[in-house]
Coordinates of all heavy atoms in Angstrom, one line a residue:
M1 N 33.3 104.7 115.1 CA 33.7 106.0 114.9 C 32.6 106.7 114.1 O 32.1 106.2 113.1 CB 35.0 106.2 114.2 CG 36.2 105.5 114.8 SD 36.8 106.5 116.1 CE 38.4 106.9 115.4
L2 N 32.2 107.9 114.6 CA 31.1 108.7 113.8 C 31.8 110.0 113.4 O 32.3 110.7 114.2 CB 29.9 108.9 114.7 CG 28.9 109.9 114.2 CD1 28.3 109.3 112.9 CD2 27.8 110.1 115.3
D3 N 31.8 110.2 112.1 CA 32.3 111.5 111.6 C 31.1 112.4 111.2 O 30.5 112.1 110.2 CB 33.2 111.1 110.4 CG 33.9 112.3 109.8 OD1 33.7 113.5 110.3 OD2 34.6 112.2 108.8
L4 N 30.9 113.4 111.9 CA 29.8 114.3 111.6 C 30.3 115.3 110.5 O 31.4 115.7 110.6 CB 29.4 115.1 112.9 CG 28.9 114.3 114.1 CD1 28.6 115.2 115.2 CD2 27.6 113.5 113.7
C5 N 29.4 115.6 109.6 CA 29.7 116.5 108.5 C 30.9 115.9 107.7 O 31.9 116.6 107.5 CB 30.0 117.9 109.0 SG 28.7 118.6 110.1
C6 N 30.7 114.7 107.3 CA 31.9 113.9 106.7 C 32.2 114.3 105.3 O 33.2 113.9 104.8 CB 31.6 112.5 106.8 SG 30.3 111.9 105.7
G7 N 31.3 115.1 104.7 CA 31.5 115.4 103.2 C 31.6 114.2 102.4 O 30.7 113.3 102.4
Q8 N 32.6 114.0 101.6 CA 32.7 112.8 100.7 C 33.5 111.7 101.4 O 33.9 110.7 100.8 CB 33.4 113.2 99.4 CG 34.6 113.9 99.5 CD 35.0 114.4 98.1 OE1 35.0 113.7 97.1 NE2 35.4 115.7 98.0
G9 N 33.6 111.7 102.8 CA 34.0 110.6 103.6 C 35.5 110.3 103.7 O 35.9 109.3 104.0
R10 N 36.3 111.4 103.5 CA 37.8 111.2 103.5 C 38.3 110.5 104.7 O 39.1 109.6 104.7 CB 38.5 112.6 103.3 CG 39.9 112.5 103.2 CD 40.5 113.9 102.9 NE 40.0 114.8 104.0 CZ 40.6 115.9 104.4 NH1 41.8 116.2 103.8 NH2 40.1 116.7 105.3
H11 N 37.9 111.0 105.9 CA 38.4 110.4 107.2 C 37.8 109.0 107.4 O 38.6 108.1 107.8 CB 38.0 111.3 108.3 CG 38.6 112.7 108.2 ND1 40.0 112.9 108.3 CD2 38.0 113.9 108.0 CE1 40.2 114.2 108.1 NE2 39.0 114.8 107.9
V12 N 36.6 108.8 107.2 CA 36.0 107.5 107.4 C 36.7 106.4 106.4 O 37.0 105.4 106.8 CB 34.4 107.5 107.1 CG1 33.8 106.1 107.1 CG2 33.8 108.4 108.2
L13 N 36.8 106.8 105.2 CA 37.5 105.9 104.2 C 38.9 105.6 104.6 O 39.3 104.4 104.5 CB 37.4 106.5 102.8 CG 36.0 106.7 102.2 CD1 36.0 107.6 101.0 CD2 35.4 105.4 101.9
E14 N 39.6 106.6 105.1 CA 41.0 106.3 105.5 C 41.1 105.4 106.7 O 41.9 104.5 106.8 CB 41.8 107.6 105.8 CG 43.2 107.5 106.1 CD 44.0 106.7 105.1 OE1 43.7 106.9 103.9 OE2 44.9 106.0 105.5
L15 N 40.2 105.6 107.6 CA 40.1 104.7 108.8 C 39.8 103.3 108.4 O 40.3 102.3 108.9 CB 39.1 105.2 109.8 CG 39.5 106.4 110.6 CD1 38.4 107.0 111.4 CD2 40.7 106.1 111.5
A16 N 38.8 103.1 107.4 CA 38.5 101.8 106.9 C 39.7 101.2 106.2 O 39.9 100.0 106.4 CB 37.3 102.0 105.9
R17 N 40.4 102.0 105.5 CA 41.7 101.4 104.8 C 42.7 100.9 105.9 O 43.5 100.0 105.6 CB 42.3 102.5 104.0 CG 41.6 102.8 102.8 CD 42.4 103.9 101.9 NE 41.5 104.5 100.9 CZ 40.9 105.7 100.9 NH1 41.2 106.5 101.9 NH2 40.2 106.1 100.0
R18 N 42.6 101.5 107.1 CA 43.6 101.1 108.1 C 43.0 100.0 109.0 O 43.6 99.7 110.0 CB 43.9 102.3 109.0 CG 44.7 103.3 108.2 CD 45.0 104.6 109.0 NE 45.6 105.6 108.2 CZ 46.6 106.3 108.6 NH1 47.2 106.1 109.8 NH2 47.2 107.2 107.8
G19 N 41.9 99.4 108.7 CA 41.4 98.3 109.4 C 40.2 98.5 110.3 O 39.7 97.6 110.9
Y20 N 39.8 99.7 110.4 CA 38.6 100.0 111.3 C 37.3 99.5 110.5 O 37.2 99.8 109.3 CB 38.4 101.5 111.7 CG 39.5 101.9 112.6 CD1 40.8 102.3 112.1 CD2 39.3 102.0 113.9 CE1 41.8 102.8 113.0 CE2 40.3 102.5 114.8 CZ 41.5 102.9 114.3 OH 42.5 103.3 115.2
T21 N 36.4 98.8 111.2 CA 35.2 98.4 110.5 C 33.9 99.1 111.0 O 33.0 99.2 110.3 CB 35.0 96.9 110.7 OG1 35.0 96.6 112.1 CG2 36.1 96.1 110.0
K22 N 34.0 99.6 112.2 CA 32.8 100.3 112.8 C 32.9 101.8 112.6 O 33.1 102.5 113.6 CB 32.6 99.9 114.3 CG 32.3 98.4 114.4 CD 32.2 98.0 115.9 CE 32.0 96.5 116.0 NZ 32.0 96.2 117.4
V23 N 32.9 102.2 111.4 CA 33.0 103.7 111.0 C 31.8 104.1 110.3 O 31.3 103.3 109.5 CB 34.3 103.9 110.3 CG1 35.6 103.7 111.1 CG2 34.4 103.1 109.0
C24 N 31.4 105.3 110.6 CA 30.2 105.8 109.9 C 30.3 107.3 109.7 O 30.8 108.1 110.6 CB 29.0 105.6 110.8 SG 27.4 106.2 110.1
G25 N 29.9 107.8 108.5 CA 30.0 109.2 108.2 C 28.6 109.7 108.0 O 27.7 109.0 107.5
L26 N 28.3 110.9 108.5 CA 27.0 111.6 108.4 C 27.2 112.9 107.8 O 28.0 113.7 108.2 CB 26.4 111.7 109.8 CG 25.1 112.4 109.9 CD1 24.0 111.5 109.4 CD2 24.8 112.8 111.3
D27 N 26.4 113.2 106.8 CA 26.4 114.5 106.1 C 25.0 114.9 105.6 O 24.2 114.0 105.2 CB 27.4 114.6 105.0 CG 27.9 116.0 104.7 OD1 27.1 116.7 103.9 OD2 28.9 116.4 105.2
R28 N 24.7 116.1 105.4 CA 23.4 116.6 104.9 C 23.4 116.5 103.4 O 22.3 116.5 102.8 CB 23.2 118.0 105.3 CG 22.8 118.2 106.8 CD 22.7 119.6 107.1 NE 21.7 120.3 106.3 CZ 21.3 121.5 106.5 NH1 21.8 122.3 107.5 NH2 20.4 122.0 105.7
S29 N 24.5 116.5 102.7 CA 24.5 116.6 101.3 C 24.4 115.2 100.6 O 25.2 114.3 100.8 CB 25.9 117.1 100.8 OG 26.1 116.9 99.4
H30 N 23.3 115.0 99.9 CA 23.0 113.8 99.2 C 24.1 113.5 98.2 O 24.5 112.3 98.1 CB 21.6 113.9 98.5 CG 21.3 112.7 97.7 ND1 20.9 111.5 98.3 CD2 21.3 112.5 96.4 CE1 20.7 110.6 97.3 NE2 20.9 111.2 96.1
Y31 N 24.6 114.5 97.5 CA 25.6 114.3 96.5 C 26.9 113.8 97.1 O 27.5 112.9 96.6 CB 25.8 115.7 95.8 CG 27.0 115.6 94.9 CD1 27.0 115.0 93.7 CD2 28.2 116.3 95.3 CE1 28.1 115.0 92.8 CE2 29.3 116.3 94.4 CZ 29.3 115.6 93.2 OH 30.4 115.6 92.4
L32 N 27.3 114.4 98.2 CA 28.6 114.0 98.9 C 28.5 112.6 99.4 O 29.4 111.8 99.4 CB 29.0 114.9 99.9 CG 29.4 116.3 99.4 CD1 29.7 117.3 100.5 CD2 30.6 116.2 98.4
I33 N 27.3 112.2 100.0 CA 27.1 110.9 100.6 C 27.2 109.9 99.5 O 27.8 108.8 99.6 CB 25.8 110.8 101.4 CG1 26.0 111.6 102.7 CG2 25.5 109.3 101.7 CD1 27.0 111.1 103.7
R34 N 26.6 110.2 98.3 CA 26.6 109.3 97.2 C 28.0 109.0 96.7 O 28.5 107.9 96.4 CB 25.8 109.9 96.0 CG 24.6 109.1 95.7 CD 23.8 109.6 94.5 NE 24.6 110.2 93.4 CZ 24.3 111.3 92.7 NH1 23.2 111.9 93.0 NH2 25.1 111.7 91.8
R35 N 28.9 110.1 96.7 CA 30.3 109.9 96.3 C 31.0 109.1 97.3 O 31.8 108.2 96.9 CB 30.9 111.3 96.2 CG 30.5 112.1 95.0 CD 31.3 113.3 94.8 NE 32.7 112.9 94.5 CZ 33.6 113.7 94.0 NH1 33.3 114.9 93.7 NH2 34.8 113.3 93.8
A36 N 30.8 109.3 98.6 CA 31.5 108.5 99.6 C 31.1 107.0 99.5 O 32.0 106.2 99.6 CB 31.1 109.1 101.0
R37 N 29.8 106.7 99.3 CA 29.4 105.4 99.1 C 30.0 104.7 97.9 O 30.4 103.5 98.0 CB 27.9 105.3 99.1 CG 27.2 105.6 100.4 CD 25.7 105.6 100.2 NE 25.0 105.7 101.5 CZ 23.8 106.2 101.7 NH1 23.1 106.4 100.6 NH2 23.3 106.3 102.8
A38 N 30.1 105.5 96.8 CA 30.7 104.9 95.6 C 32.2 104.6 95.8 O 32.6 103.5 95.4 CB 30.5 105.9 94.4
T39 N 32.9 105.4 96.5 CA 34.3 105.2 96.8 C 34.4 103.9 97.7 O 35.3 103.1 97.4 CB 35.0 106.4 97.5 OG1 34.8 107.5 96.6 CG2 36.5 106.1 97.7
R40 N 33.6 103.9 98.7 CA 33.6 102.7 99.6 C 33.4 101.4 98.8 O 34.1 100.4 99.0 CB 32.6 102.9 100.7 CG 32.6 101.7 101.7 CD 31.3 101.6 102.5 NE 30.3 101.6 101.5 CZ 29.0 101.5 101.8 NH1 28.6 101.4 103.0 NH2 28.1 101.5 100.9
R41 N 32.4 101.4 98.0 CA 32.1 100.2 97.2 C 33.3 99.9 96.2 O 33.7 98.7 96.1 CB 30.8 100.4 96.4 CG 29.5 100.1 97.2 CD 28.3 100.0 96.3 NE 28.1 101.2 95.5 CZ 27.4 102.3 95.9 NH1 26.9 102.3 97.1 NH2 27.3 103.3 95.1
R42 N 33.8 100.9 95.6 CA 34.8 100.7 94.6 C 36.1 100.1 95.2 O 36.7 99.2 94.7 CB 35.2 102.0 93.9 CG 36.2 101.9 92.8 CD 36.4 103.2 92.0 NE 36.9 104.3 92.9 CZ 36.2 105.4 93.3 NH1 35.0 105.6 92.8 NH2 36.7 106.3 94.1
E43 N 36.4 100.5 96.5 CA 37.6 100.0 97.2 C 37.3 98.8 98.0 O 38.2 98.3 98.7 CB 38.2 101.2 98.0 CG 38.7 102.3 97.2 CD 39.4 103.4 98.0 OE1 39.9 103.1 99.1 OE2 39.5 104.5 97.5
G44 N 36.0 98.4 98.1 CA 35.7 97.2 98.9 C 35.9 97.4 100.4 O 36.4 96.5 101.1
L45 N 35.6 98.6 100.9 CA 35.9 98.9 102.3 C 34.6 98.7 103.2 O 33.5 98.7 102.7 CB 36.3 100.4 102.4 CG 37.6 100.8 101.7 CD1 37.8 102.3 101.7 CD2 38.8 100.0 102.3
E46 N 34.9 98.6 104.5 CA 33.8 98.5 105.5 C 33.4 99.9 105.8 O 34.0 100.9 105.5 CB 34.4 97.8 106.8 CG 34.8 96.4 106.6 CD 33.6 95.5 106.4 OE1 32.5 95.7 107.0 OE2 33.7 94.5 105.7
G47 N 32.3 100.0 106.6 CA 31.8 101.3 107.1 C 30.5 101.7 106.4 O 30.0 101.0 105.5
S48 N 29.9 102.8 106.8 CA 28.6 103.2 106.3 C 28.6 104.7 106.2 O 29.3 105.4 106.9 CB 27.5 102.6 107.1 OG 27.5 103.2 108.4
F49 N 27.7 105.2 105.3 CA 27.5 106.6 105.2 C 26.0 106.9 105.2 O 25.2 106.1 104.6 CB 28.1 107.2 103.9 CG 29.6 107.1 103.9 CD1 30.2 106.0 103.3 CD2 30.3 108.1 104.4 CE1 31.6 105.9 103.3 CE2 31.7 108.1 104.5 CZ 32.3 107.0 103.9
R50 N 25.6 107.9 106.0 CA 24.2 108.2 106.1 C 24.0 109.6 105.8 O 24.8 110.5 106.2 CB 23.7 108.0 107.6 CG 24.0 106.5 108.1 CD 22.8 105.7 108.2 NE 23.2 104.4 108.6 CZ 22.9 103.8 109.7 NH1 22.2 104.5 110.6 NH2 23.2 102.6 109.9
E51 N 22.9 109.9 105.2 CA 22.4 111.3 104.9 C 21.6 111.8 106.1 O 20.6 111.1 106.4 CB 21.7 111.4 103.6 CG 21.3 112.7 103.1 CD 20.6 112.7 101.8 OE1 20.7 111.7 101.1 OE2 19.9 113.7 101.6
G52 N 21.9 112.9 106.6 CA 21.1 113.4 107.8 C 21.8 114.7 108.3 O 22.8 115.1 107.9
D53 N 21.0 115.3 109.3 CA 21.4 116.5 109.9 C 22.1 116.2 111.2 O 21.4 115.7 112.2 CB 20.2 117.4 110.1 CG 20.5 118.8 110.6 OD1 21.7 119.0 111.0 OD2 19.7 119.7 110.5
A54 N 23.3 116.6 111.4 CA 24.1 116.3 112.6 C 23.6 117.1 113.8 O 23.9 116.8 115.0 CB 25.6 116.6 112.4
L55 N 22.8 118.1 113.6 CA 22.2 118.9 114.7 C 21.0 118.3 115.3 O 20.5 118.8 116.3 CB 21.9 120.3 114.2 CG 23.1 121.1 113.7 CD1 22.7 122.5 113.3 CD2 24.1 121.3 114.9
T56 N 20.5 117.2 114.8 CA 19.4 116.5 115.3 C 19.9 115.4 116.2 O 20.4 114.4 115.8 CB 18.5 115.9 114.2 OG1 18.2 116.9 113.2 CG2 17.3 115.2 114.7
P57 N 19.7 115.5 117.5 CA 20.2 114.5 118.5 C 19.7 113.1 118.2 O 20.3 112.1 118.5 CB 19.8 115.0 119.9 CG 19.6 116.5 119.7 CD 19.1 116.7 118.2
L58 N 18.4 113.0 117.7 CA 17.9 111.7 117.4 C 18.7 111.0 116.4 O 18.8 109.7 116.4 CB 16.4 111.9 116.8 CG 15.6 110.6 116.6 CD1 15.6 109.8 117.9 CD2 14.3 111.0 116.1
V59 N 19.4 111.7 115.5 CA 20.2 111.0 114.5 C 21.4 110.2 115.2 O 21.7 109.1 114.9 CB 20.8 112.0 113.5 CG1 21.9 111.4 112.7 CG2 19.8 112.6 112.6
L60 N 22.0 110.8 116.3 CA 23.1 110.2 117.0 C 22.6 108.9 117.7 O 23.3 107.9 117.6 CB 23.6 111.2 118.0 CG 24.4 112.4 117.5 CD1 24.8 113.3 118.6 CD2 25.6 111.9 116.6
W61 N 21.4 109.0 118.3 CA 20.9 107.8 119.0 C 20.6 106.7 117.9 O 20.8 105.5 118.2 CB 19.6 108.2 119.7 CG 20.0 109.0 120.9 CD1 19.6 110.3 121.1 CD2 20.8 108.7 122.0 NE1 20.1 110.8 122.3 CE2 20.8 109.8 122.9 CE3 21.4 107.6 122.4 CZ2 21.5 109.9 124.1 CZ3 22.2 107.6 123.6 CH2 22.2 108.7 124.4
S62 N 20.0 107.0 116.8 CA 19.7 106.0 115.8 C 21.0 105.4 115.3 O 21.0 104.2 115.0 CB 18.8 106.6 114.7 OG 19.5 107.5 113.9
L63 N 22.0 106.2 115.0 CA 23.3 105.6 114.6 C 23.9 104.6 115.6 O 24.4 103.6 115.3 CB 24.3 106.7 114.2 CG 23.9 107.5 113.0 CD1 24.8 108.7 112.9 CD2 24.0 106.7 111.7
A64 N 23.8 105.0 116.9 CA 24.4 104.2 118.0 C 23.6 102.9 118.1 O 24.1 101.9 118.5 CB 24.4 105.0 119.3
A65 N 22.3 102.9 117.8 CA 21.5 101.8 118.0 C 21.3 100.9 116.7 O 20.6 100.0 116.7 CB 20.1 102.2 118.5
A66 N 22.0 101.4 115.6 CA 21.9 100.6 114.3 C 22.4 99.2 114.5 O 23.2 98.9 115.4 CB 22.7 101.4 113.3
P67 N 21.8 98.3 113.7 CA 22.3 96.9 113.7 C 23.8 96.8 113.6 O 24.4 97.4 112.7 CB 21.6 96.3 112.5 CG 20.4 97.1 112.3 CD 20.8 98.5 112.7
G68 N 24.5 96.1 114.5 CA 25.9 95.9 114.4 C 26.7 97.0 115.2 O 27.9 96.8 115.4
A69 N 26.0 98.0 115.6 CA 26.7 99.1 116.4 C 26.8 98.6 117.8 O 25.9 98.0 118.4 CB 26.0 100.4 116.3
D70 N 27.9 98.9 118.5 CA 28.0 98.6 119.9 C 27.9 99.8 120.8 O 28.1 99.7 122.0 CB 29.3 97.9 120.2 CG 30.5 98.7 119.8 OD1 30.3 99.9 119.5 OD2 31.6 98.1 119.8
G71 N 27.4 100.9 120.2 CA 27.2 102.1 121.1 C 28.5 102.9 121.3 O 28.5 103.9 121.9
E72 N 29.6 102.4 120.8 CA 30.9 103.1 121.0 C 31.2 103.9 119.7 O 31.3 103.4 118.7 CB 32.0 102.2 121.3 CG 31.9 101.4 122.6 CD 33.1 100.6 122.9 OE1 34.1 100.9 122.4 OE2 32.9 99.6 123.6
F73 N 31.4 105.2 119.9 CA 31.7 106.1 118.8 C 32.4 107.3 119.3 O 32.3 107.7 120.4 CB 30.5 106.4 117.9 CG 29.4 107.1 118.6 CD1 29.4 108.5 118.7 CD2 28.4 106.4 119.2 CE1 28.3 109.2 119.4 CE2 27.3 107.1 119.9 CZ 27.3 108.4 120.0
I74 N 33.1 108.0 118.4 CA 33.7 109.3 118.7 C 33.1 110.3 117.6 O 33.1 110.0 116.4 CB 35.2 109.2 118.6 CG1 35.8 108.2 119.5 CG2 35.8 110.6 118.8 CD1 37.2 107.9 119.3
A75 N 32.7 111.4 118.1 CA 32.1 112.4 117.2 C 33.2 113.4 116.8 O 33.9 113.9 117.7 CB 30.9 113.1 117.8
R76 N 33.3 113.7 115.6 CA 34.1 114.8 115.1 C 33.2 115.8 114.4 O 32.5 115.5 113.5 CB 35.1 114.3 114.1 CG 36.1 115.4 113.6 CD 36.9 114.9 112.5 NE 36.2 114.7 111.2 CZ 35.8 115.7 110.4 NH1 36.1 116.9 110.6 NH2 35.2 115.4 109.3
G77 N 33.2 117.0 114.9 CA 32.3 118.0 114.3 C 32.1 119.2 115.3 O 32.9 119.3 116.3
R78 N 31.2 120.0 115.0 CA 30.9 121.2 115.8 C 29.4 121.1 116.3 O 28.6 120.5 115.7 CB 31.2 122.4 115.0 CG 32.6 122.6 114.6 CD 32.9 123.9 114.0 NE 32.1 124.0 112.7 CZ 32.5 123.7 111.5 NH1 33.7 123.1 111.4 NH2 31.7 123.9 110.5
G79 N 29.2 122.0 117.3 CA 27.8 122.2 117.7 C 27.3 121.2 118.8 O 28.1 120.4 119.3
E80 N 26.0 121.3 119.1 CA 25.4 120.6 120.2 C 25.5 119.1 120.0 O 25.8 118.3 120.9 CB 24.0 121.0 120.3 CG 23.3 120.4 121.5 CD 24.0 120.7 122.8 OE1 24.4 121.8 123.0 OE2 24.0 119.8 123.7
A81 N 25.4 118.6 118.7 CA 25.4 117.2 118.4 C 26.8 116.6 118.8 O 26.9 115.6 119.4 CB 25.1 116.9 117.0
A82 N 27.8 117.3 118.5 CA 29.2 116.9 118.8 C 29.4 116.9 120.3 O 30.0 116.0 120.8 CB 30.2 117.7 118.1
R83 N 28.9 117.9 121.0 CA 29.0 117.9 122.4 C 28.2 116.8 123.1 O 28.6 116.3 124.2 CB 28.6 119.3 123.0 CG 29.7 120.4 122.6 CD 29.4 121.6 123.4 NE 28.1 122.3 123.0 CZ 28.0 123.1 121.9 NH1 29.1 123.3 121.2 NH2 26.9 123.6 121.6
S84 N 27.1 116.4 122.5 CA 26.3 115.4 123.2 C 26.8 114.0 122.9 O 26.5 113.1 123.6 CB 24.8 115.5 122.7 OG 24.7 115.2 121.4
A85 N 27.6 113.8 121.9 CA 28.2 112.5 121.7 C 29.4 112.4 122.6 O 30.0 113.3 123.0 CB 28.8 112.5 120.2
R86 N 29.6 111.1 123.1 CA 30.7 110.9 124.0 C 31.5 109.7 123.6 O 31.0 108.8 123.1 CB 30.2 110.8 125.4 CG 29.3 109.6 125.6 CD 28.6 109.6 127.0 NE 27.7 108.5 127.1 CZ 28.0 107.3 127.6 NH1 29.2 107.1 128.0 NH2 27.1 106.4 127.6
R87 N 32.8 109.8 124.0 CA 33.6 108.6 123.7 C 33.5 107.7 125.0 O 33.7 108.1 126.1 CB 35.1 109.1 123.6 CG 36.0 108.0 123.3 CD 37.4 108.5 123.2 NE 38.3 107.4 122.9 CZ 39.5 107.5 122.5 NH1 40.0 108.7 122.2 NH2 40.3 106.4 122.3
V88 N 33.2 106.5 124.7 CA 32.9 105.5 125.8 C 33.9 104.4 125.8 O 33.9 103.5 126.6 CB 31.5 104.9 125.7 CG1 30.5 106.0 125.9 CG2 31.3 104.2 124.3
G89 N 34.9 104.4 124.9 CA 36.0 103.4 124.9 C 37.0 103.7 123.9 O 36.9 104.5 123.0
P90 N 38.2 103.1 124.1 CA 39.3 103.4 123.1 C 39.0 102.9 121.8 O 38.4 101.7 121.6 CB 40.5 102.7 123.7 CG 39.9 101.6 124.6 CD 38.6 102.1 125.1
A91 N 39.3 103.6 120.8 CA 39.1 103.1 119.4 C 40.3 102.3 118.9 O 41.4 102.7 119.0 CB 38.9 104.4 118.5
Q92 N 40.0 101.1 118.5 CA 41.1 100.2 118.0 C 40.6 99.6 116.6 O 39.4 99.4 116.4 CB 41.2 99.1 119.0 CG 41.7 99.5 120.4 CD 43.1 100.1 120.4 OE1 43.9 99.7 119.6 NE2 43.3 101.1 121.2
P93 N 41.6 99.4 115.8 CA 41.2 98.7 114.5 C 40.7 97.3 114.8 O 41.0 96.7 115.7 CB 42.6 98.6 113.8 CG 43.5 99.6 114.4 CD 43.0 99.7 115.8
D94 N 39.7 96.9 114.0 CA 39.1 95.6 114.1 C 39.8 94.6 113.3 O 39.4 94.3 112.2 CB 37.6 95.7 113.7 CG 36.8 96.7 114.5 OD1 37.0 96.7 115.7 OD2 36.1 97.4 113.9
R95 N 41.0 94.2 113.7 CA 41.8 93.3 112.9 C 41.8 91.9 113.5 O 41.5 91.6 114.6 CB 43.2 93.8 112.9 CG 43.3 95.1 112.2 CD 44.8 95.5 112.1 NE 44.7 96.9 111.6 CZ 45.7 97.6 111.2 NH1 46.9 97.0 111.2 NH2 45.6 98.8 110.8

């Protein structure tokens, strides 16, 4: 799952708490990404957070091609980047 404009990662963190392991948050704010990563570490959760601009299509391709990624993600957000992301399979917890 890819959460565009994730802020401090509320949705990504909640999905990780529910058993999802392939979750990633993307936001432009260095401060908010730092907070999200700190919460993830403190709670011992899976997932990742990246600092970047969701309007750059290259960001989506690099996230999908990241080590461990299987190319399946759902984008939540607005704009061209969200429209260019596509759901390629049902999202299920990795239990």
